[in-house]
Amino acid sequence: MELVLEIVRIILPVVIVAGIGVFVVKRLKHKYDQGKLGKKESQGAQALLDSLIPLGILFGCAISVIFSIFFSTSLLSAVSLGAGIGLLFGYFAYEFYSRKRTKHS
């Protein structure tokens, strides 16, 4: 029984992050197929939009390393979960920032 719990504790973060990764890739592929990927008019805004998902992953990893320092969690599982959660938040930031704004006159 103890061996099964250990295996689940090792495999569960990988399964969670894999599910998040498949979700994000499928959603971005769906938007690409429809031709609705985010486009910005200025080059700087487009660079920021394209960088939101990788920045989310980096911030997620950094926060998870800090979390694993203060709490007794495995660094490997914390970093993998942090990267997955950062990927998800980066995708949500991408969706929010890529929306077209309507101008009110």
Side-chain angles (χ1 to χ4, degrees):
M1 184 66 178
E2 202 170 297
L3 179 64
V4 174
L5 290 175
E6 187 70 22
I7 291 173
V8 168
R9 192 176 64 92
I10 292 169
I11 300 295
L12 189 62
V14 175
V15 171
I16 292 170
V17 172
I20 291 171
V22 167
F23 169 76
V24 170
V25 168
K26 289 289 189 182
R27 289 292 300 159
L28 287 174
K29 184 181 182 306
H30 179 69
K31 288 177 76 75
Y32 176 77
D33 290 342
Q34 289 184 337
K36 294 183 179 180
L37 282 178
K39 299 286 183 206
K40 292 292 181 178
E41 293 179 13
S42 71
Q43 189 175 5
Q46 184 65 39
L48 176 64
L49 179 66
D50 294 339
S51 300
L52 283 174
I53 293 175
L55 284 174
I57 294 171
L58 285 175
F59 282 125
C61 284
I63 290 171
S64 68
V65 167
I66 293 170
F67 180 81
S68 69
I69 289 172
F70 291 115
F71 298 102
S72 64
T73 60
S74 168
L75 180 63
L76 185 61
S77 64
V79 168
S80 65
L81 279 174
I85 293 169
L87 174 68
L88 191 62
F89 283 133
Y91 171 72
F92 288 145
Y94 175 87
E95 284 288 323
F96 180 75
Y97 189 64
S98 66
R99 288 188 184 154
K100 302 275 187 213
R101 303 233 195 288
T102 57
K103 294 183 180 179
H104 297 288
S105 23

XYZ file of all heavy atoms in Angstrom:
810
model
N 0.824 -1.194 0.000
C 0.000 0.000 0.000
C 0.869 1.258 0.000
O 0.545 2.220 -0.672
C -0.919 -0.043 1.228
C -1.883 1.084 1.287
S -3.028 0.931 -0.077
C -4.074 2.272 0.224
N 1.937 1.231 0.749
C 2.819 2.380 0.828
C 3.505 2.644 -0.508
O 3.728 3.793 -0.884
C 3.856 2.142 1.925
C 4.464 3.415 2.443
C 5.296 3.149 3.688
O 4.725 2.705 4.697
O 6.501 3.378 3.607
N 3.835 1.571 -1.218
C 4.470 1.702 -2.527
C 3.519 2.350 -3.533
O 3.940 3.200 -4.326
C 4.920 0.328 -3.036
C 5.581 0.304 -4.410
C 6.880 1.088 -4.370
C 5.815 -1.120 -4.849
N 2.262 1.993 -3.483
C 1.278 2.568 -4.400
C 1.115 4.059 -4.141
O 1.049 4.863 -5.074
C -0.081 1.839 -4.259
C -1.150 2.523 -5.088
C 0.050 0.385 -4.657
N 1.067 4.469 -2.887
C 0.955 5.881 -2.549
C 2.180 6.664 -3.014
O 2.066 7.808 -3.461
C 0.741 6.055 -1.052
C -0.617 5.602 -0.517
C -0.651 5.725 0.998
C -1.721 6.405 -1.140
N 3.344 6.067 -2.898
C 4.569 6.716 -3.359
C 4.556 6.902 -4.874
O 4.938 7.959 -5.381
C 5.780 5.874 -2.936
C 7.106 6.530 -3.208
C 7.375 7.714 -2.317
O 6.777 7.808 -1.231
O 8.189 8.567 -2.709
N 4.100 5.879 -5.584
C 4.025 5.984 -7.046
C 3.014 7.042 -7.460
O 3.269 7.843 -8.365
C 3.688 4.608 -7.659
C 4.874 3.663 -7.475
C 3.325 4.732 -9.128
C 4.604 2.238 -7.881
N 1.873 7.098 -6.793
C 0.861 8.111 -7.092
C 1.409 9.504 -6.796
O 1.196 10.442 -7.576
C -0.431 7.835 -6.292
C -1.383 9.018 -6.352
C -1.106 6.589 -6.820
N 2.140 9.648 -5.708
C 2.718 10.952 -5.349
C 3.736 11.413 -6.368
O 3.891 12.610 -6.608
C 3.373 10.859 -3.966
C 3.749 12.205 -3.385
C 4.293 12.044 -1.980
N 5.527 11.288 -1.951
C 6.732 11.845 -2.011
N 6.846 13.143 -2.106
N 7.808 11.095 -1.968
N 4.409 10.474 -7.015
C 5.401 10.821 -8.030
C 4.733 11.116 -9.368
O 5.099 12.065 -10.071
C 6.433 9.684 -8.172
C 7.276 9.598 -6.903
C 7.311 9.891 -9.387
C 8.143 8.367 -6.828
N 3.744 10.329 -9.740
C 3.133 10.421 -11.061
C 2.076 11.521 -11.156
O 1.881 12.108 -12.221
C 2.519 9.059 -11.460
C 3.596 7.983 -11.503
C 1.788 9.119 -12.776
C 4.636 8.190 -12.569
N 1.378 11.828 -10.076
C 0.272 12.774 -10.115
C 0.654 14.159 -10.653
O -0.078 14.691 -11.499
C -0.381 12.890 -8.731
C -1.675 13.676 -8.678
C -2.741 13.011 -9.537
C -2.155 13.802 -7.258
N 1.757 14.793 -10.232
C 2.093 16.093 -10.818
C 2.330 16.021 -12.326
O 1.939 16.931 -13.060
C 3.375 16.510 -10.088
C 3.369 15.748 -8.835
C 2.668 14.469 -9.127
N 2.926 14.944 -12.783
C 3.174 14.807 -14.215
C 1.862 14.680 -14.980
O 1.680 15.285 -16.045
C 4.089 13.591 -14.482
C 4.274 13.358 -15.962
C 5.428 13.776 -13.797
N 0.915 13.942 -14.435
C -0.385 13.774 -15.081
C -1.145 15.097 -15.108
O -1.757 15.460 -16.126
C -1.199 12.671 -14.362
C -2.627 12.617 -14.865
C -0.522 11.330 -14.528
N -1.106 15.845 -14.029
C -1.793 17.136 -13.969
C -1.206 18.107 -14.981
O -1.933 18.763 -15.738
C -1.734 17.714 -12.540
C -2.582 16.874 -11.593
C -2.192 19.173 -12.514
C -2.406 17.221 -10.136
N 0.115 18.199 -15.032
C 0.769 19.119 -15.958
C 0.541 18.682 -17.401
O 0.353 19.517 -18.288
C 2.273 19.246 -15.623
C 3.008 20.031 -16.673
C 2.440 19.902 -14.267
N 0.528 17.385 -17.653
C 0.249 16.898 -19.006
C -1.165 17.282 -19.438
O -1.384 17.691 -20.587
C 0.437 15.389 -19.075
N -2.117 17.168 -18.528
C -3.483 17.579 -18.849
C -3.581 19.061 -19.153
O -4.270 19.469 -20.101
N -2.886 19.889 -18.374
C -2.876 21.329 -18.623
C -2.226 21.620 -19.974
O -2.726 22.433 -20.758
C -2.154 22.071 -17.487
C -2.978 21.991 -16.205
C -1.904 23.533 -17.855
C -2.249 22.494 -14.974
N -1.118 20.956 -20.258
C -0.424 21.168 -21.528
C -1.271 20.781 -22.721
O -1.324 21.511 -23.724
N -1.958 19.654 -22.645
C -2.829 19.232 -23.746
C -3.972 20.218 -23.928
O -4.327 20.583 -25.054
C -3.358 17.803 -23.494
C -4.484 17.444 -24.429
C -2.229 16.800 -23.616
N -4.548 20.698 -22.828
C -5.623 21.680 -22.913
C -5.165 22.946 -23.628
O -5.834 23.430 -24.551
C -6.141 22.027 -21.508
C -7.055 23.217 -21.476
C -8.360 23.112 -21.913
C -6.599 24.447 -21.006
C -9.206 24.210 -21.895
C -7.431 25.547 -20.987
C -8.738 25.431 -21.431
N -4.011 23.486 -23.233
C -3.523 24.735 -23.819
C -3.186 24.545 -25.294
O -3.556 25.366 -26.144
C -2.313 25.267 -23.023
C -1.646 26.418 -23.746
C -2.743 25.706 -21.635
N -2.523 23.456 -25.629
C -2.150 23.229 -27.024
C -3.385 23.043 -27.902
O -3.466 23.591 -29.001
C -1.193 22.019 -27.132
C -1.019 21.586 -28.565
C 0.154 22.355 -26.515
N -4.361 22.290 -27.416
C -5.596 22.078 -28.194
C -6.357 23.385 -28.396
O -6.892 23.640 -29.472
C -6.506 21.055 -27.504
C -5.984 19.653 -27.557
C -6.079 19.111 -28.957
C -5.750 17.634 -28.957
N -5.782 17.075 -30.293
N -6.425 24.215 -27.350
C -7.117 25.502 -27.485
C -6.401 26.423 -28.468
O -7.044 27.070 -29.294
C -7.229 26.191 -26.119
C -8.185 25.536 -25.166
C -9.620 25.658 -25.592
N -9.990 27.054 -25.686
C -11.017 27.519 -26.389
N -11.797 26.706 -27.032
N -11.280 28.801 -26.433
N -5.065 26.476 -28.398
C -4.326 27.320 -29.327
C -4.429 26.790 -30.756
O -4.514 27.566 -31.707
C -2.863 27.433 -28.897
C -2.622 28.301 -27.661
C -1.169 28.230 -27.251
C -3.032 29.739 -27.921
N -4.431 25.476 -30.934
C -4.596 24.895 -32.267
C -5.980 25.217 -32.818
O -6.122 25.549 -34.002
C -4.387 23.388 -32.231
C -4.453 22.729 -33.591
C -4.269 21.234 -33.490
C -4.288 20.554 -34.830
N -5.445 20.822 -35.656
N -6.993 25.169 -31.964
C -8.348 25.501 -32.387
C -8.422 26.964 -32.841
O -9.034 27.268 -33.875
C -9.327 25.227 -31.246
C -10.745 25.562 -31.558
N -11.495 24.853 -32.463
C -11.565 26.541 -31.086
C -12.701 25.376 -32.540
N -12.764 26.400 -31.706
N -7.812 27.866 -32.083
C -7.803 29.280 -32.457
C -7.020 29.501 -33.747
O -7.400 30.324 -34.576
C -7.215 30.127 -31.329
C -8.137 30.250 -30.137
C -7.507 31.031 -29.029
C -7.497 32.497 -29.288
N -8.761 33.187 -29.131
N -5.919 28.763 -33.929
C -5.117 28.886 -35.149
C -5.909 28.404 -36.367
O -5.890 29.045 -37.417
C -3.819 28.084 -35.009
C -2.986 28.078 -36.263
C -2.227 29.179 -36.614
C -2.967 26.964 -37.092
C -1.464 29.179 -37.772
C -2.214 26.949 -38.242
C -1.460 28.059 -38.587
O -0.723 28.053 -39.734
N -6.605 27.283 -36.228
C -7.402 26.753 -37.335
C -8.519 27.706 -37.734
O -8.876 27.785 -38.913
C -7.987 25.389 -36.971
C -6.939 24.296 -36.894
O -5.824 24.491 -37.442
O -7.218 23.247 -36.263
N -9.077 28.430 -36.778
C -10.125 29.402 -37.067
C -9.558 30.743 -37.535
O -10.299 31.599 -37.985
C -10.989 29.647 -35.837
C -11.873 28.493 -35.469
C -12.766 28.830 -34.296
O -12.458 29.732 -33.499
N -13.863 28.113 -34.178
N -8.241 30.924 -37.406
C -7.624 32.195 -37.780
C -7.872 33.295 -36.773
O -7.895 34.471 -37.125
N -8.039 32.936 -35.514
C -8.370 33.916 -34.481
C -7.278 34.070 -33.440
O -7.556 34.448 -32.305
C -9.676 33.519 -33.789
C -10.877 33.577 -34.694
C -12.136 33.244 -33.942
C -13.333 33.332 -34.851
N -14.577 33.007 -34.153
N -6.027 33.785 -33.802
C -4.944 34.035 -32.852
C -4.812 35.535 -32.638
O -5.118 36.332 -33.520
C -3.630 33.460 -33.365
C -3.443 31.958 -33.226
C -2.111 31.546 -33.833
C -3.508 31.522 -31.791
N -4.348 35.920 -31.456
C -4.264 37.330 -31.115
C -3.277 38.088 -31.979
O -2.165 37.640 -32.223
N -3.706 39.238 -32.464
C -2.853 40.137 -33.239
C -2.950 41.528 -32.631
O -4.032 42.017 -32.324
C -3.300 40.200 -34.707
C -3.250 38.885 -35.432
C -1.834 38.509 -35.740
C -1.833 37.215 -36.538
N -0.631 36.472 -36.371
N -1.808 42.158 -32.473
C -1.754 43.527 -31.978
C -1.162 44.419 -33.063
O -0.419 43.975 -33.933
C -0.899 43.614 -30.709
C -1.521 42.914 -29.515
C -2.754 43.654 -29.079
C -3.392 43.009 -27.878
N -4.539 43.731 -27.419
N -1.490 45.694 -33.004
C -1.046 46.610 -34.055
C 0.416 46.992 -33.906
O 1.143 47.042 -34.889
C -1.934 47.851 -34.063
C -3.360 47.550 -34.480
C -4.242 48.770 -34.470
O -3.719 49.892 -34.379
O -5.471 48.588 -34.549
N 0.863 47.257 -32.702
C 2.259 47.657 -32.524
C 3.144 46.430 -32.324
O 2.702 45.379 -31.855
C 2.398 48.610 -31.335
O 2.197 47.929 -30.129
N 4.402 46.595 -32.692
C 5.340 45.480 -32.591
C 5.636 45.116 -31.133
O 5.774 43.951 -30.793
C 6.633 45.846 -33.318
C 7.593 44.707 -33.480
C 8.799 45.103 -34.314
O 8.965 46.246 -34.695
N 9.647 44.132 -34.593
N 5.697 46.107 -30.275
C 5.949 45.850 -28.860
C 4.798 45.111 -28.194
O 5.012 44.198 -27.394
N 3.576 45.504 -28.534
C 2.415 44.831 -27.965
C 2.328 43.388 -28.461
O 1.967 42.490 -27.707
C 1.137 45.594 -28.314
N 2.687 43.155 -29.729
C 2.672 41.799 -30.260
C 3.752 40.940 -29.599
O 3.535 39.768 -29.301
C 2.861 41.811 -31.783
C 2.760 40.451 -32.422
C 1.377 39.842 -32.301
O 0.380 40.531 -32.423
N 1.327 38.549 -32.049
N 4.909 41.540 -29.328
C 5.983 40.803 -28.652
C 5.560 40.424 -27.233
O 5.838 39.316 -26.768
C 7.259 41.635 -28.633
N 4.879 41.338 -26.543
C 4.375 41.030 -25.202
C 3.331 39.922 -25.256
O 3.362 38.988 -24.447
C 3.781 42.274 -24.541
C 3.128 42.045 -23.176
C 4.165 41.596 -22.155
C 2.411 43.284 -22.716
N 2.434 39.993 -26.227
C 1.402 38.964 -26.371
C 2.021 37.598 -26.631
O 1.613 36.603 -26.032
C 0.455 39.341 -27.513
C -0.672 38.372 -27.812
C -1.653 38.331 -26.645
C -1.380 38.756 -29.085
N 3.034 37.545 -27.490
C 3.692 36.279 -27.789
C 4.513 35.749 -26.621
O 4.816 34.563 -26.568
C 4.593 36.431 -29.014
C 3.807 36.701 -30.287
O 2.606 36.383 -30.320
O 4.397 37.239 -31.246
N 4.883 36.614 -25.681
C 5.724 36.218 -24.557
C 4.943 35.880 -23.292
O 5.554 35.454 -22.310
C 6.707 37.350 -24.225
O 7.522 37.625 -25.333
N 3.639 36.043 -23.299
C 2.873 35.843 -22.065
C 2.897 34.400 -21.587
O 3.030 34.143 -20.388
C 1.428 36.315 -22.261
C 1.242 37.820 -22.232
C -0.194 38.180 -22.577
C 1.620 38.393 -20.884
N 2.786 33.435 -22.473
C 2.766 32.032 -22.054
C 4.134 31.602 -21.515
O 4.210 31.035 -20.423
C 2.260 31.131 -23.190
C 0.778 31.432 -23.446
C 2.452 29.661 -22.854
C 0.176 30.701 -24.614
N 5.252 31.886 -22.219
C 6.549 31.527 -21.623
C 6.852 32.269 -20.321
O 7.447 31.693 -19.411
C 7.565 31.914 -22.710
C 6.802 31.926 -23.977
C 5.412 32.325 -23.609
N 6.419 33.521 -20.216
C 6.624 34.254 -18.961
C 5.815 33.634 -17.823
O 6.286 33.574 -16.684
C 6.234 35.721 -19.130
C 7.238 36.587 -19.883
C 6.658 37.973 -20.113
C 8.545 36.675 -19.135
N 4.620 33.161 -18.135
C 3.819 32.473 -17.121
C 4.514 31.223 -16.624
O 4.517 30.931 -15.422
N 5.132 30.480 -17.537
C 5.860 29.273 -17.137
C 7.044 29.632 -16.247
O 7.281 28.991 -15.216
C 6.314 28.487 -18.379
C 5.106 27.952 -19.142
C 7.249 27.341 -17.998
C 5.446 27.362 -20.494
N 7.795 30.668 -16.615
C 8.949 31.079 -15.804
C 8.534 31.546 -14.412
O 9.157 31.179 -13.410
C 9.722 32.180 -16.519
C 10.571 31.740 -17.700
C 11.179 32.947 -18.395
C 11.647 30.792 -17.242
N 7.490 32.368 -14.341
C 7.023 32.834 -13.039
C 6.493 31.683 -12.206
O 6.695 31.639 -10.992
C 5.955 33.921 -13.190
C 6.518 35.271 -13.539
C 6.060 35.949 -14.653
C 7.498 35.856 -12.768
C 6.564 37.190 -14.990
C 8.026 37.093 -13.091
C 7.550 37.765 -14.214
N 5.808 30.750 -12.831
C 5.313 29.584 -12.111
C 6.442 28.759 -11.534
O 6.374 28.290 -10.395
N 7.508 28.565 -12.314
C 8.673 27.826 -11.815
C 9.337 28.560 -10.654
O 9.716 27.945 -9.659
C 9.683 27.616 -12.937
S 9.224 26.348 -14.099
N 9.493 29.864 -10.785
C 10.142 30.647 -9.726
C 9.329 30.603 -8.437
O 9.889 30.409 -7.346
C 10.323 32.090 -10.188
N 8.032 30.757 -8.557
C 7.182 30.722 -7.358
C 7.210 29.335 -6.726
O 7.234 29.195 -5.499
C 5.755 31.171 -7.713
C 5.757 32.664 -8.027
C 4.781 30.866 -6.584
C 4.471 33.187 -8.606
N 7.249 28.302 -7.551
C 7.268 26.945 -6.992
C 8.591 26.638 -6.293
O 8.601 25.914 -5.300
C 6.995 25.924 -8.086
O 8.063 25.889 -9.006
N 9.695 27.189 -6.780
C 10.978 26.994 -6.100
C 10.946 27.679 -4.736
O 11.378 27.098 -3.733
C 12.143 27.523 -6.964
C 13.430 27.619 -6.162
C 12.352 26.627 -8.178
N 10.416 28.885 -4.692
C 10.298 29.594 -3.412
C 9.366 28.833 -2.474
O 9.645 28.693 -1.279
C 9.810 31.034 -3.646
C 10.889 31.824 -4.393
C 9.446 31.721 -2.344
C 10.448 33.168 -4.890
N 8.259 28.311 -3.013
C 7.320 27.528 -2.210
C 7.983 26.284 -1.637
O 7.790 25.946 -0.475
C 6.116 27.143 -3.082
C 5.084 26.332 -2.366
C 4.159 26.953 -1.542
C 5.023 24.954 -2.514
C 3.194 26.212 -0.879
C 4.068 24.202 -1.859
C 3.155 24.837 -1.039
N 8.789 25.599 -2.456
C 9.418 24.361 -1.979
C 10.534 24.634 -0.973
O 10.894 23.745 -0.211
C 9.960 23.548 -3.146
O 11.067 24.195 -3.729
N 11.069 25.833 -0.954
C 12.074 26.186 0.049
C 11.428 26.310 1.429
O 11.974 25.838 2.425
C 12.799 27.496 -0.337
C 13.719 27.253 -1.531
C 13.595 28.061 0.843
C 14.320 28.514 -2.106
N 10.264 26.939 1.488
C 9.630 27.208 2.772
C 8.769 26.068 3.288
O 8.488 25.999 4.473
C 8.792 28.484 2.688
C 9.646 29.714 2.547
C 9.592 30.476 1.398
C 10.504 30.100 3.557
C 10.369 31.599 1.256
C 11.283 31.220 3.431
C 11.218 31.983 2.273
N 8.321 25.196 2.396
C 7.475 24.079 2.814
C 8.169 22.777 2.453
O 9.021 22.733 1.583
C 6.099 24.158 2.150
C 5.332 25.385 2.531
C 5.263 26.460 1.662
C 4.698 25.471 3.751
C 4.561 27.605 2.009
C 3.991 26.612 4.105
C 3.925 27.680 3.236
N 7.798 21.723 3.125
C 8.475 20.448 2.913
C 7.840 19.685 1.742
O 7.121 18.718 1.926
C 8.424 19.609 4.189
O 7.093 19.291 4.486
N 8.103 20.171 0.546
C 7.649 19.492 -0.668
C 8.857 19.175 -1.533
O 9.900 19.812 -1.427
C 6.669 20.354 -1.480
O 7.338 21.555 -1.851
C 5.427 20.693 -0.693
N 8.691 18.207 -2.386
C 9.756 17.837 -3.297
C 9.961 18.952 -4.326
O 8.998 19.481 -4.888
C 9.395 16.534 -4.011
O 10.270 16.298 -5.070
N 11.205 19.301 -4.577
C 11.501 20.361 -5.527
C 11.061 19.975 -6.931
O 10.517 20.795 -7.673
C 13.003 20.673 -5.514
C 13.469 21.778 -6.467
C 12.832 23.101 -6.066
C 14.972 21.887 -6.455
N 11.260 18.726 -7.301
C 10.902 18.283 -8.638
C 9.394 18.357 -8.874
O 8.948 18.867 -9.911
C 11.396 16.855 -8.858
C 11.204 16.293 -10.254
C 11.960 17.138 -11.267
C 11.680 14.863 -10.303
N 8.614 17.887 -7.950
C 7.162 17.955 -8.149
C 6.663 19.389 -8.049
O 5.727 19.770 -8.759
C 6.446 17.070 -7.136
O 6.661 17.534 -5.833
N 7.279 20.201 -7.202
C 6.863 21.599 -7.093
C 7.163 22.361 -8.379
O 6.337 23.152 -8.846
C 7.561 22.268 -5.912
N 8.322 22.123 -8.972
C 8.667 22.822 -10.210
C 7.767 22.376 -11.355
O 7.321 23.191 -12.164
C 10.158 22.613 -10.555
C 10.474 23.076 -11.960
C 11.025 23.367 -9.561
N 7.472 21.088 -11.436
C 6.606 20.629 -12.521
C 5.197 21.189 -12.368
O 4.592 21.639 -13.343
C 6.574 19.106 -12.591
O 5.977 18.566 -11.441
N 4.665 21.172 -11.156
C 3.340 21.761 -10.943
C 3.356 23.272 -11.167
O 2.414 23.830 -11.731
C 2.841 21.453 -9.537
C 2.226 20.082 -9.344
C 1.919 19.849 -7.871
C 0.974 19.921 -10.167
N 4.418 23.934 -10.736
C 4.530 25.381 -10.941
C 4.579 25.744 -12.413
O 3.951 26.716 -12.849
N 5.308 24.955 -13.193
C 5.372 25.219 -14.633
C 4.016 24.995 -15.285
O 3.597 25.772 -16.148
C 6.419 24.321 -15.275
N 3.304 23.964 -14.876
C 1.987 23.701 -15.441
C 0.975 24.773 -15.088
O 0.209 25.231 -15.937
N 0.982 25.183 -13.835
C 0.056 26.234 -13.412
C 0.433 27.559 -14.061
O -0.435 28.331 -14.473
C 0.031 26.321 -11.872
C -0.603 25.047 -11.306
C -0.722 27.549 -11.394
C -0.464 24.889 -9.821
N 1.733 27.816 -14.205
C 2.176 29.021 -14.910
C 1.775 29.000 -16.374
O 1.416 30.032 -16.949
N 1.824 27.834 -16.997
C 1.369 27.698 -18.380
C -0.108 28.039 -18.489
O -0.529 28.769 -19.397
C 1.621 26.273 -18.874
C 1.074 25.896 -20.247
C 1.812 26.644 -21.344
C 1.195 24.405 -20.465
N -0.892 27.558 -17.554
C -2.325 27.837 -17.567
C -2.604 29.322 -17.357
O -3.405 29.926 -18.083
C -3.019 27.005 -16.492
C -4.531 26.968 -16.524
C -5.032 26.350 -17.829
C -5.054 26.178 -15.342
N -1.932 29.943 -16.384
C -2.135 31.375 -16.153
C -1.608 32.209 -17.315
O -2.192 33.240 -17.664
C -1.487 31.817 -14.839
C -2.281 31.441 -13.628
C -1.665 30.856 -12.536
C -3.637 31.667 -13.556
C -2.388 30.506 -11.413
C -4.376 31.319 -12.437
C -3.745 30.736 -11.361
N -0.502 31.777 -17.931
C 0.002 32.470 -19.113
C -0.977 32.400 -20.264
O -1.159 33.369 -21.008
N -1.623 31.249 -20.432
C -2.634 31.120 -21.480
C -3.822 32.027 -21.206
O -4.341 32.697 -22.111
C -3.092 29.663 -21.596
C -4.276 29.502 -22.506
C -4.134 29.640 -23.877
C -5.540 29.238 -21.994
C -5.224 29.514 -24.717
C -6.626 29.101 -22.825
C -6.467 29.244 -24.186
O -7.539 29.120 -25.009
N -4.278 32.087 -19.944
C -5.394 32.971 -19.618
C -5.013 34.440 -19.829
O -5.836 35.237 -20.297
C -5.876 32.743 -18.190
C -6.604 31.443 -17.998
C -6.476 30.733 -16.815
C -7.414 30.916 -18.987
C -7.152 29.538 -16.623
C -8.087 29.724 -18.811
C -7.956 29.037 -17.624
N -3.789 34.814 -19.499
C -3.327 36.185 -19.748
C -3.278 36.459 -21.250
O -3.644 37.549 -21.707
C -1.946 36.397 -19.126
N -2.850 35.470 -22.032
C -2.827 35.595 -23.493
C -4.240 35.823 -24.020
O -4.468 36.686 -24.874
C -2.225 34.333 -24.105
C -2.246 34.292 -25.604
C -1.204 34.848 -26.340
C -3.290 33.692 -26.297
C -1.212 34.816 -27.714
C -3.312 33.655 -27.662
C -2.267 34.219 -28.386
O -2.296 34.192 -29.747
N -5.203 35.038 -23.528
C -6.596 35.193 -23.967
C -7.134 36.576 -23.599
O -7.811 37.218 -24.403
C -7.474 34.115 -23.329
C -7.324 32.759 -23.936
C -7.933 32.673 -25.310
O -8.989 33.282 -25.558
O -7.339 31.995 -26.157
N -6.843 37.027 -22.397
C -7.342 38.325 -21.942
C -6.714 39.464 -22.733
O -7.403 40.388 -23.161
C -7.069 38.496 -20.442
C -7.542 39.800 -19.889
C -8.891 40.023 -19.662
C -6.637 40.806 -19.591
C -9.329 41.235 -19.147
C -7.064 42.016 -19.080
C -8.409 42.230 -18.864
N -5.397 39.395 -22.950
C -4.693 40.489 -23.616
C -4.951 40.500 -25.123
O -4.831 41.540 -25.757
C -3.193 40.378 -23.323
C -2.394 41.570 -23.776
C -2.600 42.827 -23.224
C -1.417 41.458 -24.762
C -1.877 43.914 -23.628
C -0.679 42.530 -25.174
C -0.916 43.765 -24.607
O -0.193 44.852 -25.020
N -5.305 39.365 -25.700
C -5.503 39.336 -27.154
C -6.902 39.755 -27.574
O -7.165 39.870 -28.763
C -5.231 37.930 -27.685
O -6.184 37.008 -27.211
N -7.787 39.999 -26.632
C -9.142 40.452 -26.983
C -9.073 41.816 -27.638
O -8.306 42.688 -27.254
C -10.019 40.542 -25.751
C -10.411 39.196 -25.219
C -11.413 39.362 -24.131
N -11.716 38.063 -23.547
C -12.133 37.875 -22.336
N -12.314 38.911 -21.535
N -12.370 36.657 -21.889
N -9.931 42.008 -28.600
C -10.032 43.300 -29.273
C -10.793 44.267 -28.377
O -11.829 43.947 -27.818
C -10.776 43.163 -30.608
C -10.129 42.194 -31.551
C -9.059 42.874 -32.333
C -8.552 41.905 -33.383
N -7.178 42.058 -33.658
N -10.279 45.451 -28.268
C -10.937 46.472 -27.478
C -11.779 47.343 -28.420
O -11.331 47.736 -29.475
C -9.922 47.360 -26.772
C -8.964 46.584 -25.884
C -8.967 47.170 -24.502
N -7.893 46.768 -23.648
C -7.748 45.576 -23.086
N -8.575 44.638 -23.380
N -6.770 45.298 -22.277
N -12.999 47.631 -28.004
C -13.837 48.506 -28.809
C -13.638 49.936 -28.325
O -13.562 50.193 -27.112
C -15.317 48.117 -28.687
O -15.705 48.155 -27.320
C -15.546 46.722 -29.246
N -13.562 50.854 -29.285
C -13.365 52.265 -28.940
C -14.722 52.947 -28.816
O -15.567 52.852 -29.690
C -12.522 52.956 -30.016
C -11.117 52.441 -30.069
C -10.308 53.183 -31.088
C -8.900 52.634 -31.128
N -8.086 53.313 -32.114
N -14.909 53.627 -27.701
C -16.153 54.362 -27.467
C -15.930 55.800 -27.892
O -14.923 56.412 -27.593
C -16.549 54.320 -25.993
C -16.829 52.933 -25.510
N -17.951 52.248 -25.885
C -16.120 52.101 -24.696
C -17.940 51.051 -25.309
N -16.824 50.942 -24.586
N -16.904 56.368 -28.642
C -16.746 57.742 -29.070
C -17.659 58.680 -28.351
O -18.589 58.382 -27.728
C -16.963 57.909 -30.556
O -17.717 56.936 -31.162
